[in-house]
Amino acid sequence: MNIQLANTLFDNGILTAMYKAGLLSAKVFTYREIYLWVHAQVQVRGITKNQAVLEAEAKFGKDERTIWRALNCFTV
């Protein structure tokens, strides 16, 4: 899924409505948040994506594989 499309759907409340209807799991929101956080760290701090993934593990309390899965779910 394209991250801009996901952000638009989130901003318009469509993702939330789909979650409440049972069509999506909460994982979509977590993955989106992880993707945005990692992307922001790379852009703002200028660190590598691998370093941002390692920091995201601690921040979100998720396994490294989960962080990579979240990053791979979205494209630019």
Side-chain angles (χ1 to χ4, degrees):
M1 174 180 264
N2 185 303
I3 191 64
Q4 285 92 6
L5 176 60
N7 287 336
T8 301
L9 293 173
F10 180 79
D11 293 341
N12 292 336
I14 295 171
L15 285 182
T16 303
M18 291 176 76
Y19 170 73
K20 288 180 181 177
L23 299 172
L24 296 176
S25 71
K27 195 180 294 189
V28 172
F29 299 101
T30 304
Y31 280 17
R32 179 181 167 273
E33 184 178 353
I34 290 170
Y35 178 89
L36 293 174
W37 187 86
V38 169
H39 184 70
Q41 297 306 305
V42 171
Q43 293 296 314
V44 173
R45 294 176 49 206
I47 61 176
T48 65
K49 188 184 263 189
N50 288 336
Q51 182 61 38
V53 166
L54 294 176
E55 291 179 13
E57 278 186 272
K59 176 171 177 47
F60 293 98
K62 303 287 184 188
D63 180 68
E64 180 181 357
R65 182 68 210 128
T66 302
I67 304 299
W68 282 111
R69 194 175 300 119
L71 296 177
N72 291 329
C73 283
F74 296 104
T75 60
V76 178

